[in-house]
């Protein structure tokens, strides 16, 4: 609910802090005092356009709010004019107007001569009718199937686009796949080939090195093997005189054996050049390098590309068989969607007649006896809410054909129509503000209006600007607006009335006097509604 309206400065409202209650809050005052300034202040916060003075600041405090914008169940919306610029705030933080409007959605609706957006908004008429018809669950079921249909149609469109390019892409992919399959690359193959290529390319150097090593070790007259043999011979002669030489002899004999084995291994080394193998390796490496350059990847990436190409080719080949199945599924889901849309439309048309009658009944009791209210339903292409466009048409006087409500209804008429709709359908917001709802009515009609407002305030908070005592006495909290004149300015004041002050205000509203007779009448009127 809207628990507080804080006004630092707005027009001639200065330093005003209004604490509201649940139920029905009424504002009254002398004619010309500017009772609607409170409504103007609320509309100011919600984005009302106009040339407002620098320093204007109004704050709305909502409590017990279930909203993503709530902090500890509270939402504070404010607007300030500073140096000609408008600043909007949500919970004390700067915000855009669109964010503030989003934050206020579901919290408050103002019905005044300036603002009737709840009835003028494009989809509100359908929403009101659907709420009255209590078909929310059926619409959710429909929307589930409708979204499924949209997904299928999206997939179908994608597949058709794929189909148109399928043959061209298939030709390209098959060529690329054949190219990679013919190459038949194996992971690590390139490294092995490069190692073998380096060997074959350097056979002459290897052969020369092997021949030289053999000569040095055993073939030359002064070879390593001969020198070791000579050393062994000399040391053997004296080994009996110096036993420690035996360890050296053992080491040298082991070294000679190793050298002899190395010579044997070198003599068996096959170093003939296979020029055919060298040519084949070179050709294979050229192929791999060319493919890597063409596809801008390495050997491992080429192997992965081959797998991807094969999957894509299989998919494109199967595409021509998938399309008919998707089209059949689309037809089946479309039939389900159409059936649900027909059910929703039938219920809407049936409930529209009942809604018309209930609204007309309330309008007659609100001094609009000749009013006509018509719910027009026109068929349109399927969307998320079915196949119906819903429009409310209204005429306040006999002999005039009903027209769209935003074209014909006055401020007072639209407020009463809104009230009637809220009574019949229920309120979807926490707080409703009414101004001009009692314009042009009195007597028994005023009592009907008061009773309806009181009933509505049991479901949501109602703030009402009124000049009728028959209505004001039903308020759960009563505020009085007055003007104070000083030498330099005119300032409005707002105060909550005590029980005694309320009797005086009702007496003033009854006759403009506060004598004993009118005070007694006021007391009787207040007691009659308790």
């Amino acid at each position: 609910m809207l628990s507080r309206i804080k006004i630092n400065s707005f027009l001639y409202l200065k330093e005003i802090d209004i604490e509201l209650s649940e139920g029905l809050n009424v504002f009254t005052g002398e004619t010309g005092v500017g009772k609607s300034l409170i409504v103007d202040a609320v509309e100011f916060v919600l984005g009302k356009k106009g040339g407002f003075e620098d320093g204007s600041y109004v704050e709305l405090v909502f409590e017990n709010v279930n909203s993503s914008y709530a902090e500890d169940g509270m939402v504070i919306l404010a607007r300030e004019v500073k140096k000609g610029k408008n600043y909007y705030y949500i919970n004390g933080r700067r915000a855009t107007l669109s964010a503030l409007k989003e934050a206020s959605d579901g919290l408050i609706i103002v019905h005044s001569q300036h603002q009737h957006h709840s009835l003028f908004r494009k989809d509100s008429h359908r929403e009101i009718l659907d709420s009255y018809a209590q078909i929310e669950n059926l619409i959710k079921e429909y929307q589930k199937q409708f979204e499924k249909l949209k997904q299928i149609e999206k997939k179908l469109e994608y597949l058709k686009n794929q189909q148109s390019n399928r043959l061209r892409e298939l030709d390209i992919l098959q060529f690329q796949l054949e190219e990679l399959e013919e190459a038949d690359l194996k992971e690590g193959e390139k490294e092995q080939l490069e190692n073998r290529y380096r060997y074959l390319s350097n056979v002459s150097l290897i052969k020369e090195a092997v021949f030289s090593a053999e000569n040095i070790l055993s073939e030359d007259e002064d070879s390593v093997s001969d020198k070791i043999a000579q050393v062994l011979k000399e040391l053997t002669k004296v080994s009996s005189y110096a036993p420690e030489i035996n360890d050296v002899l053992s080491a040298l004999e082991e070294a000679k054996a190793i050298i002899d084995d190395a010579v044997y291994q070198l003599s068996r080394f096959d170093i003939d050049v296979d020029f055919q193998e060298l040519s084949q390796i070179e050709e294979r490496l050229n192929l791999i390098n060319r493919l890597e350059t063409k596809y801008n990847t390495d050997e491992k990436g080429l192997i992965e590309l081959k797998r991807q190409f094969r999957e894509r080719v299989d998919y494109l080949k199967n595409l021509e068989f998938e399309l008919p199945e998707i089209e059949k599924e689309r037809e089946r889901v479309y039939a389900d969607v159409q059936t649900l849309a027909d059910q929703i439309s039938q219920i809407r048309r049936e409930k529209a007649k009942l809604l018309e009658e209930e609204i007309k009944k309330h309008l007659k009791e609100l001094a609009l006896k000749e009013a006509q209210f018509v719910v027009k339903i026109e068929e349109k292409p399927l969307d998320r809410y079915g196949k119906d466009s819903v429009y409310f048409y209204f005429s306040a006087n006999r002999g005039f054909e009903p027209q769209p409500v935003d074209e014909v209804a006055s401020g007072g008429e639209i407020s009463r129509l809104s009230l009637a709709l809220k009574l019949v359908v229920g309120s979807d917001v926490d707080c409703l503000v009414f101004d001009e709802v009692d314009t042009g009515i009195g007597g028994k009609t005023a009592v009907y209006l008061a009773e309806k407002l009181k009933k509505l305030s049991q479901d949501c908070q109602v703030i009402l600007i009124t000049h009728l005592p028959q209505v004001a006495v039903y308020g759960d909290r009563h505020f009085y607006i007055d003007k104070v004149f000083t030498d330099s300015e005119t300032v409005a004041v707002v105060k909550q009335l005590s029980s005694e002050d309320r009797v005086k205000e009702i007496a003033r509203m009854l006759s403009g006097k506060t004598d004993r007779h009118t005070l007694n009448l006021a007391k009787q009127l207040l007691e009659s509604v308790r």
Side-chain angles (χ1 to χ4, degrees):
M1 73 168 205
L2 177 59
S3 62
R4 183 180 178 190
I5 303 174
K6 181 180 179 181
I7 304 171
N8 287 0
S9 176
F10 180 75
L11 301 178
Y12 50 88
L13 295 168
K14 312 289 183 183
E15 301 299 329
I16 291 174
D17 199 345
I18 304 169
E19 293 187 5
L20 302 159
S21 71
E22 296 180 345
L24 181 59
N25 296 266
V26 297
F27 287 80
T28 63
E30 293 278 2
T31 301
V33 76
K35 297 184 290 294
S36 295
L37 277 176
I38 298 300
V39 178
D40 292 336
V42 172
E43 290 181 316
F44 167 75
V45 176
L46 300 178
K48 179 180 179 180
K49 295 180 180 180
F52 301 105
E53 295 180 356
D54 270 4
S56 296
Y57 180 89
V58 181
E59 183 177 285
L60 307 179
V61 180
F62 296 87
E63 295 183 8
N64 302 320
V65 173
N66 182 16
S67 165
S68 60
Y69 288 91
E71 296 180 4
D72 297 327
M74 182 179 293
V75 174
I76 302 174
L77 306 180
R79 178 181 176 185
E80 179 181 25
V81 179
K82 189 162 47 177
K83 295 182 179 179
K85 293 184 178 181
N86 291 285
Y87 296 89
Y88 296 91
Y89 303 90
I90 300 175
N91 298 329
R93 293 183 287 274
R94 282 281 302 276
T96 62
L97 175 58
S98 60
L100 184 140
K101 287 185 175 181
E102 183 178 316
S104 70
D105 189 37
L107 297 182
I108 187 168
I109 288 180
V110 179
H111 298 283
S112 72
Q113 62 178 331
H114 306 296
Q115 198 171 115
H116 315 299
H117 52 77
S118 61
L119 277 180
F120 293 168
R121 188 164 52 83
K122 183 178 179 181
D123 294 327
S124 66
H125 301 177
R126 175 193 50 73
E127 292 171 0
I128 292 169
L129 176 59
D130 288 350
S131 179
Y132 175 74
Q134 296 183 338
I135 55 174
E136 289 87 354
N137 290 335
L138 184 58
I139 289 176
K140 286 180 181 178
E141 182 183 351
Y142 165 85
Q143 288 176 339
K144 183 178 178 181
Q145 292 300 313
F146 182 79
E147 288 303 320
K148 185 177 180 180
L149 176 63
K150 292 291 111 181
Q151 290 299 320
I152 292 172
E153 289 179 341
K154 185 177 180 180
K155 184 177 181 180
L156 195 58
E157 182 181 1
Y158 172 77
L159 290 176
K160 286 180 177 178
N161 290 334
Q162 289 284 298
Q163 179 75 341
S164 64
N165 299 320
R166 186 177 68 90
L167 294 177
R168 183 176 62 83
E169 185 182 356
L170 193 56
D171 283 343
I172 296 172
L173 283 174
Q174 282 180 322
F175 173 80
Q176 293 173 325
L177 180 59
E178 288 172 6
E179 184 177 45
L180 293 178
E181 285 182 336
E182 285 178 7
D184 193 25
L185 300 179
K186 304 293 189 298
E187 191 168 346
E189 178 185 3
K190 184 178 181 182
E191 183 180 359
Q192 293 175 357
L193 289 171
E194 286 175 336
N195 290 337
R196 182 64 178 165
Y197 183 80
R198 279 194 296 272
Y199 168 76
L200 293 174
S201 299
N202 293 280
V203 162
S204 60
L205 293 175
I206 296 169
K207 188 174 183 178
E208 182 181 340
V210 169
F211 178 76
S212 176
E214 280 187 282
N215 287 336
I216 293 170
L217 291 174
S218 65
E219 298 296 331
D220 291 345
E221 291 181 359
D222 199 20
S223 67
V224 173
S225 181
D226 288 345
K227 285 186 176 182
I228 292 176
Q230 186 179 352
V231 171
L232 284 169
K233 182 179 177 181
E234 293 297 325
L235 290 176
T236 301
K237 292 177 183 180
V238 297
S239 62
S240 60
Y241 306 119
E244 61 271 20
I245 291 177
N246 289 326
D247 291 336
V248 176
L249 287 171
S250 296
L252 288 171
E253 286 171 352
E254 184 178 350
K256 188 175 185 306
I258 292 171
I259 290 170
D260 290 343
D261 182 66
V263 171
Y264 176 75
Q265 294 294 335
L266 288 172
S267 68
R268 292 173 53 84
F269 206 92
D270 183 8
I271 51 178
D272 290 334
V273 180
D274 186 343
F275 290 103
Q276 184 178 358
E277 182 187 3
L278 183 62
S279 177
Q280 289 173 346
I281 291 174
E282 188 174 11
E283 183 178 340
R284 183 69 174 169
L285 285 171
N286 286 338
L287 172 64
I288 295 173
N289 289 329
R290 180 177 63 80
L291 292 175
E292 287 180 339
T293 301
K294 178 178 179 179
Y295 293 103
N296 193 29
T297 186
D298 57 13
E299 176 192 74
K300 189 175 181 180
L302 290 171
I303 295 171
E304 173 62 19
L305 269 181
K306 182 172 71 171
R307 185 193 66 78
Q308 293 176 3
F309 287 166
R310 186 180 295 115
E311 287 184 357
R312 183 65 177 170
V313 166
D314 291 341
Y315 168 76
L316 291 173
K317 285 182 176 179
N318 294 325
L319 194 60
E320 59 181 311
F321 305 108
E322 187 176 1
L323 265 173
E325 293 300 319
I326 299 295
E327 287 175 338
K328 286 180 183 178
E329 185 181 7
R330 191 260 176 199
E331 290 175 4
R332 179 181 60 78
V333 175
Y334 178 81
D336 293 342
V337 170
Q338 189 65 55
T339 298
L340 288 169
D342 290 340
Q343 292 177 14
I344 292 170
S345 183
Q346 182 179 352
I347 295 172
R348 280 174 176 158
R349 293 176 188 277
E350 292 172 356
K351 294 296 184 179
K353 298 299 179 184
L354 298 177
L355 179 61
E356 288 174 354
E357 294 305 315
E358 288 197 57
I359 296 301
K360 287 176 186 176
K361 177 177 177 295
H362 281 289
L363 291 176
K364 285 181 180 178
E365 293 174 349
L366 293 173
L368 292 172
K369 296 182 179 180
E370 303 297 333
Q372 298 179 67
F373 176 76
V374 178
V375 180
K376 285 198 174 185
I377 300 177
E378 298 176 355
E379 189 167 337
K380 66 174 182 180
L382 291 172
D383 63 12
R384 291 191 71 254
Y385 299 98
K387 64 176 187 178
D388 301 317
S389 292
V390 180
Y391 305 100
F392 290 167
Y393 279 58
F394 177 80
S395 172
N397 302 297
R398 181 185 298 180
F400 291 87
E401 285 294 317
Q403 300 293 325
V405 292
D406 58 333
E407 297 179 9
V408 295
S410 67
E413 291 165 352
I414 202 69
S415 293
R416 276 176 265 180
L417 176 58
S418 297
L419 173 59
L421 286 165
K422 298 297 182 186
L423 288 166
V424 174
V425 180
S427 176
D428 55 353
V429 295
D430 298 337
C431 176
L432 292 170
V433 181
F434 287 98
D435 187 19
E436 293 193 350
V437 69
D438 56 6
T439 300
I441 64 175
K444 187 181 291 186
T445 301
V447 176
Y448 285 143
L449 172 64
E451 291 174 345
K452 294 179 189 299
L453 288 167
K454 187 67 175 180
K455 180 181 178 182
L456 181 61
S457 71
Q458 294 171 1
D459 296 323
C460 66
Q461 182 187 36
V462 176
I463 297 173
L464 175 69
I465 310 299
T466 184
H467 64 279
L468 296 176
Q470 301 97 312
V471 175
V473 292
Y474 280 85
D476 295 297
R477 190 166 289 186
H478 191 156
F479 299 89
Y480 178 73
I481 305 174
D482 198 5
K483 286 181 181 177
V484 176
F485 300 96
T486 67
D487 293 338
S488 59
E489 61 179 352
T490 301
V491 179
V493 294
V494 180
K495 66 176 181 179
Q496 181 182 339
L497 297 180
S498 64
S499 298
E500 183 178 348
D501 288 336
R502 193 177 184 195
V503 172
K504 294 178 181 178
E505 172 60 4
I506 297 299
R508 182 200 65 76
M509 295 176 72
L510 283 168
S511 65
K513 300 177 182 179
T514 54
D515 55 24
R516 183 181 301 175
H517 177 65
T518 55
L519 289 171
N520 286 333
L521 285 176
K523 288 179 183 178
Q524 293 173 17
L525 191 57
L526 284 163
E527 290 173 357
S528 69
V529 300
R530 288 176 183 171

